[in-house]
Structure formats: C-alpha cells, structure tokens
C-alpha cells in the first residue's frame, strides 16, 4: 500500500524570507486560507520572536485557519518557545518547530558552542516545548553538512526529549540526491528511537536540486517534505511545493507514495503567491510557468492533437488550469460572467461581483476577446486585501520623443478628490511623481515590472512595483490595457499598503502633519 507523504508548507515562514518579500497579516491570512483549501498538512505560519508582525500573523492564522496543523518556528531557548506558544495557543492543532545548528562550521563560528553544549540545549529546548504541546518538531540546522555520527546523537536526544518529527535541513543547498538519500538511509538505520518520529526534509535550492534531494530522501525513509509555493525562500529558495507534489502524483508508479493535496488548487495558489509577494515566476517554470503546458513545435502540437499523452505527462486540468480561450465578450451578461467565474473557482460576494462585472464591461469596451486569463486578472485585482486610503480616479499623460513628459492625476483621498500634476523622465516617472504629490509620501522605487497577461496588441498589462520606505518593502499590482494606468494603479496600491502598515506616522516623518 502506498505511503502518505506529509506536506509541510513554509511559504509564510521560509518563503517570506525571500529577499524583497514582505507580507502583511491580511496577505498572510489570505495565503493561509488558500493553503488550507489546497489541503496542505502543516502550515508553518512564521517565526513569532522575529518581529511583532510575524507574531500577529501566526496568532491570526492560529485563530482563523481550520484543517491543517499550524506550526511556528523557535530557536531552542525558552524566550523563543514562549513567544511561539503565545501566538500558537489558539490553534486546534499547534506544532512548535524548534531548531539549533549542528554542523561543525555553525557550531564553531556562529554558535561558539561545543557538541555537548548543543546536545544539552536540544534536550532542554525540546522538553520545554513539549510542556506546551505534544506536537514538537526539531531541526538540526545545516543538517546536511553535519557529521553523521553526531547527527545520530542529536536526533536520538531530540526524540528522547519528545520530538515527534525530526527534520533534516539542507540549509545551504549543498547536498546531491545520492548523498542526501544515503544520509537519510543511515539516519533511519542508526538512530535507535527513529521509529518514534517522522523523518522530514527541508531542502534549499542553491544547486537547483532541492526537489531531487527531497525525492531521494523520501525513497530512503523520509515521510514529510518541507516546501514553499513557487519554490520561494532564502536565496535560491526551497523545494517547490507544486513540483514535489506533482512528481509524487505523476510518478506514483515509481515512488508508491501519495499526498492529500488537492492538486486542482495548485495553479490558483501559485497565482496568489505571485500576486501578493510580487515574485513572478519564469515562463518555463515547471508545473506553473506560463509555458509549462504550451507546445511550440509543430510535431508536438500535431502529437497532442492526436493524443494528449504523446507530449503531455500531466493533464493541465490536474493543477486547475482550465483551457477555454474565448469565453466572454461585450454582450455577455452578469449571469454568464458569474457562472464563468465560479467555473474558474472564484466565489465572489455580491459587492465584489458588482465591481468585477463593471471592470469586465469596461475591459470589453477596450478589448475584443476576453479570455479566462483576463477574467483572472480582473478578479485578482478587485480583491483588495487592505483598505484603500487612496483610489486612482483619472489620469492624463502628455508624452513624446521631443517633449517633457507630464502627468496629471486625480486621486480620491479618503473619498475626497485631489488633483496634482508633475513632469518626469518618462510618462511612468511623471505619473509616479504626481501620485507622490497627492499622497505626500516619499518612497524609493525598488522594482518595476510589466507583463502582458495575454497575447495580442490589446492585451491587459500587469505592472508590479516594489517600493521601499523606512527599510520596509511594499508590493503593489495594477492591471489595465493602458500600461501607464496599470503603473499608476500598482504604485497607488503599494502606497495603500504602506499607509496601512505605518499609518499617519509616515506624514509626521515627512513633516506634513
Ligand atoms: O534552512 C533551514 O535550515 C531552516 C530551518 C530553520 C529549518 O529553515
Ligand atoms: Zn530553510
């Protein structure tokens, strides 16, 4: 009989450690709801001691999310563990995930501790966590570079002290599939009490082998995989959830494992994480990339038309990709619009539906053919996660190759229309400057990206911006068939998030209030 593989999602913890990613509590909750819908077994919601924001997010997720176990990270010391529990205690199924480094390099240079001291800390930390909950996971950080004999001692101590899951991280993504699989095999054979715990793995992708290393570990006895949606995480990221899940599913003939993931939710989860983190994935990304199911060569297209499985090892519908190119047009009614959204998995409340329908009508006036991708973009844009202090009402641009670009914007500030104009180095710069004049906040633009949602000259443009204020990054997204308008919307949306996070103090700092 096939063995179950537990999917431990760390998008909100390790994933959020990706450079330039910063999610607010509402965004984390939104992602957590989607992860629960996708049926992950464990959600690692954050590292509560790391910041008040992390603490609040773990607490909110512990209170609100039903279904998965909710985990929080803590070093093996009482202060960290107390803080983790303080946030986690509301969860129906709480897990404390505690860790300390065990490789010679980390112990000598980072911790400045001996092996004996580290073993003592593990004993104390795991036992302390165990007072709060039965479900305790222990991770020896930089595990893949830890001496095997010492690793066996570490794990035996952790399990004796109460750990029910022992997670072996390849923290720096150094291992290779054969080596890592062998490491797990040795652990399974040599740690005397290993049958009292589940072996987990947590691989980083520095050499592009995180998924392969995780699969090799599973073949050798691991039964939990730690992973993140779209493979986000520190540096080159973590094992990609969608890749490991679909590898297990597609190659069950070879692995004889299964997961409880609702694979049809993979595509939407990937989109949500991209939209909220502002980390777009490359077109050829396995499973969820734009080209993952696109066939370019004539021979391949011919083959797929004759029999899909000639060139497709997975059915796109399995990950929730519905193929339906031309769906609605100018004359489609609200009912048809709603029906299609429901088919695409969006269940909007009446008010949201009204707004989305209005956007659809506006778009239908500008764009002849409205596809599922357009509908997705509209709906994702309509779901506002933070309140909107600023709403872009109108803009006017004057630009050309021999004039100074000038922009005028009209923005509703708490409902009141304010207009401003500015010049810039280009039309986008002029718009951003005019927006800044209205909002009175000086931010640094860290990233600007523009993508076409669909093909064709009248395609919707999607702009993602990252702005920095006070050492914090805020991501905004805007869509429109007009790329300048999409840029302005993205900028305003990032400023709304900044305002939501830092409130009126942003004006005091600027000497405005
Ligand atoms: O990469 C790592 O070692 C970690 C641990 C805290 C599990 O993220
Ligand atoms: Zn990690």
């Amino acid at each position: 009989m096939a063995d179950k593989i537990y999917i431990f999602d760390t998008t909100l913890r390790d994933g959020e450690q990706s450079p330039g990613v910063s999610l607010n509590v509402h965004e984390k909750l939104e992602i957590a709801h989607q992860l629960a819908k996708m049926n992950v077994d464990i959600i690692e919601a954050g590292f509560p001691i790391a910041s008040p924001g992390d603490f609040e997010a773990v607490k909110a997720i512990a209170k609100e999310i039903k279904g998965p176990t909710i985990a929080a990270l803590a070093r093996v010391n009482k202060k960290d563990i107390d803080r983790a529990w303080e946030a986690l205690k509301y969860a129906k199924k709480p897990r404390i995930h505690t860790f300390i480094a065990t490789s010679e390099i980390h112990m000598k240079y980072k911790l400045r501790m001996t092996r004996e001291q580290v073993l003592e800390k593990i004993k104390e930390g795991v036992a302390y966590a165990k007072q709060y909950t039965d479900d305790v996971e222990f991770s020896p950080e930089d595990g893949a570079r830890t001496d095997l004999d010492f690793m066996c001692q570490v794990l035996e101590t952790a399990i004796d002290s109460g750990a029910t899951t022992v997670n072996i991280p390849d923290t720096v993504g150094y291992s290779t599939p054969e080596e890592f699989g062998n490491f797990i095999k040795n652990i399974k054979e040599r740690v005397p009490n290993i049958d009292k715990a589940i072996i987990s793995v947590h691989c980083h992708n520095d050499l592009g082998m995180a998924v392969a290393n995780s699969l090799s570990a599973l073949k050798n006895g691991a039964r939990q995989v730690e992973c993140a949606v779209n493979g986000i995480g520190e540096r080159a990221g973590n094992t990609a959830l969608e890749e490991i899940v679909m590898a297990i599913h597609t190659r069950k003939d070879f692995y004889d494992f299964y997961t409880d993931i609702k694979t049809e939710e993979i595509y939407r989860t990937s989109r949500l994480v991209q939209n909220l983190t502002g980390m777009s994935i490359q077109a050829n990304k396995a499973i969820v990339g734009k080209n993952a199911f696109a066939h370019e060569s004539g021979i391949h297209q011919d083959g797929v038309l004759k029999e899909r499985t000639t060139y497709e090892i997975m059915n796109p519908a399995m990950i929730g990709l519905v193929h339906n190119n031309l769906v609605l047009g100018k004359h489609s009614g609200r009912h048809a619009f709603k029906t299609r959204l429901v088919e695409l998995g969006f269940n909007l409340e009446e008010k949201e539906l009204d707004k989305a329908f209005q956007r659809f009508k506006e778009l239908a006036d500008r764009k002849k053919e409205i596809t599922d991708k357009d509908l997705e973009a509209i709906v994702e844009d309509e779901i506002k996660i933070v309140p909107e202090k600023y709403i872009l009402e109108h803009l006017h641009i004057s630009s050309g190759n021999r004039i100074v670009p000038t922009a005028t914007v009209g923005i509703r500030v708490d409902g009141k229309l304010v207009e401003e104009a500015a010049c810039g180095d280009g039309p986008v710069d002029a718009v951003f400057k005019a927006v800044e004049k209205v909002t009175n906040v000086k931010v640094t633009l860290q990233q600007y990206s523009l993508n076409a949602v669909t093909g064709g000259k009248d395609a919707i443009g999607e702009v993602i911006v990252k702005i920095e204020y006070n050492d914090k990054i805020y991501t905004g997204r805007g869509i429109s068939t007009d790329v300048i308008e999409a840029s302005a919307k993205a900028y305003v949306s990032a400023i709304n998030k900044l305002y939501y996070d830092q409130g009126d103090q942003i004006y005091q700092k600027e000497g405005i209030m």
Side-chain angles (χ1 to χ4, degrees), residues 10 13-15 17 44 73 97 141 167 169-172 202-204 226 233-235 237-238:
T10 188
R13 200 276 299 167
D14 212 323
Q17 287 172 224
E44 187 166 45
L73 189 66
H97 177 193
E141 192 193 3
N167 175 47
D170 181 12
T171 304
V172 290
H202 173 114
C203 297
H204 278 269
E226 302 201 353
E234 281 278 1
R235 306 180 309 280
N238 288 80

Side-chain angles (χ1 to χ4, degrees), residues 9-217:
D9 179 274
T10 188
T11 309
L12 298 174
R13 200 276 299 167
D14 212 323
E16 215 235 355
Q17 287 172 224
S18 303
V21 172
S22 171
L23 299 166
N24 64 40
V25 176
H26 296 276
E27 291 167 329
K28 287 188 182 175
L29 258 175
E30 185 81 14
I31 292 177
H33 273 293
Q34 181 59 28
L35 291 171
K37 198 165 172 203
M38 191 168 61
N39 211 26
V40 303
D41 297 290
I42 303 111
I43 294 175
E44 187 166 45
F47 190 2
I49 196 101
S51 71
D54 250 41
F55 177 85
E56 290 306 328
V58 175
K59 188 168 154 186
I61 290 170
K63 281 187 171 171
E64 205 170 304
I65 303 296
K66 307 278 172 270
T69 294
I70 309 298
L73 189 66
R75 285 164 297 189
V76 281
N77 65 58
K78 291 187 178 168
K79 239 173 119 185
D80 273 41
I81 295 168
D82 286 341
R83 191 78 177 141
W85 182 249
E86 198 47 41
L88 260 188
K89 65 184 177 197
Y90 306 93
K92 215 160 177 205
K93 294 188 270 172
R95 172 180 296 188
I96 296 176
H97 177 193
T98 188
F99 75 101
I100 188 170
T102 52
S103 66
E104 292 302 318
I105 300 181
H106 278 231
M107 288 189 296
K108 184 170 167 196
Y109 296 107
K110 188 181 83 174
L111 300 177
R112 300 207 165 92
M113 287 169 80
T114 62
R115 286 185 173 194
E116 291 65 38
Q117 286 170 322
V118 166
L119 285 175
E120 201 43 47
K121 286 290 281 183
I122 294 171
K123 216 163 150 178
E124 274 173 30
V126 173
Y128 191 71
K130 194 79 179 177
Q131 303 181 107
Y132 287 129
T133 169
D134 261 352
D135 192 346
V136 176
E137 171 169 331
F138 171 73
S139 288
E141 192 193 3
D142 204 16
R145 291 195 300 172
T146 296
D147 169 70
L148 179 61
D149 290 335
F150 183 52
M151 175 59 88
C152 292
Q153 266 181 290
V154 160
L155 298 181
E156 187 178 353
T157 305
I159 296 168
D160 269 347
S161 311
T164 42
T165 302
V166 284
N167 175 47
I168 318 299
D170 181 12
T171 304
V172 290
Y174 180 71
S175 209
T176 62
E178 293 77 12
E179 183 189 52
F180 197 57
N182 220 16
F183 199 59
I184 301 299
K185 182 167 182 265
N186 272 293
I187 286 171
K188 205 162 162 55
E189 284 168 8
R190 290 172 51 179
V191 176
N193 51 3
I194 198 71
D195 54 339
K196 295 208 183 98
I198 289 184
I199 302 176
S200 165
V201 285
H202 173 114
C203 297
H204 278 269
N205 204 30
D206 298 66
L207 293 173
M209 289 190 278
V211 174
N213 286 344
S214 303
L215 284 170
S216 176

Side-chain angles (χ1 to χ4, degrees), residues 237-469:
N238 288 80
T239 299
L241 179 144
E242 61 282 359
E243 293 178 25
I244 193 88
V245 167
M246 289 314 287
I248 290 170
H249 186 86
T250 309
R251 296 309 311 275
K252 47 183 173 297
D253 59 316
F254 181 73
Y255 288 107
D256 202 20
F257 299 139
Y258 72 95
T259 73
D260 281 335
I261 295 295
K262 292 190 177 136
T263 59
E264 323 79 65
E265 292 296 331
I266 284 178
Y267 175 70
R268 286 200 59 196
T269 315
S270 166
R271 291 279 314 167
L272 182 68
V273 171
Q274 287 182 72
N275 287 340
L276 297 184
T277 59
M279 283 186 80
S280 310
I281 53 169
Q282 82 270 23
N284 65 332
K285 161 89 180 62
I287 318 295
V288 284
K290 206 167 161 187
N291 295 350
F293 294 96
H295 303 281
E296 182 69 17
S297 128
I299 297 175
H300 289 208
Q301 288 172 352
D302 178 57
V304 169
L305 286 176
K306 286 176 175 147
E307 167 53 45
R308 190 187 59 76
T309 54
T310 50
Y311 287 100
E312 253 178 30
I313 59 164
M314 291 167 276
N315 187 338
M318 287 271 341
I319 65 152
L321 255 182
V322 246
H323 272 306
N324 187 347
N325 274 333
L326 182 63
V327 278
L328 299 172
K330 204 170 164 170
H331 304 292
S332 308
R334 199 172 181 279
H335 183 70
F337 176 73
K338 183 178 175 182
T339 308
R340 189 62 198 144
L341 289 189
V342 172
E343 280 163 12
L344 289 171
F346 295 107
N347 285 301
L348 300 190
E349 285 170 14
E350 280 311 296
K351 247 175 143 180
E352 289 174 328
L353 188 70
D354 286 343
K355 280 169 85 186
F357 185 59
Q358 198 187 326
R359 289 283 297 274
F360 160 72
K361 283 288 184 189
E362 285 163 14
L363 182 65
D365 272 341
R366 298 194 202 181
K367 194 173 186 293
K368 235 167 76 195
E369 301 177 342
I370 307 238
T371 65
D372 285 345
K373 289 239 181 303
D374 294 320
L375 292 181
E376 240 169 41
I378 292 176
V379 174
E380 287 166 357
D381 200 50
E382 269 317 313
I383 301 173
K384 300 292 179 217
I385 289 172
V386 301
E388 294 179 289
K389 182 175 176 67
Y390 302 105
I391 299 175
L392 179 75
E393 180 111 348
H394 59 256
L395 66 83
H396 174 83
I397 296 289
S398 166
S399 184
N401 60 345
R402 286 174 194 229
I403 57 163
V404 177
T406 314
T408 307
V409 297
I411 293 178
R412 290 219 171 261
V413 184
D414 295 326
K416 193 168 153 250
L417 187 65
V418 181
E419 282 187 320
E420 282 292 352
C423 300
D425 289 336
V428 173
D429 187 46
V431 163
F432 286 2
K433 284 195 173 123
V435 170
E436 267 184 19
K437 275 192 171 173
V438 174
T439 58
N440 278 325
V441 199
K442 196 127 202 68
V443 300
T444 311
L445 180 68
Q446 285 286 357
Q447 195 184 306
Y448 172 94
S449 69
L450 167 64
N451 277 303
V453 172
T454 49
K457 278 193 263 175
D458 58 355
I460 290 186
E462 175 193 60
V463 171
I464 290 181
V465 297
K466 282 184 192 268
I467 57 169
E468 190 184 331
Y469 184 87

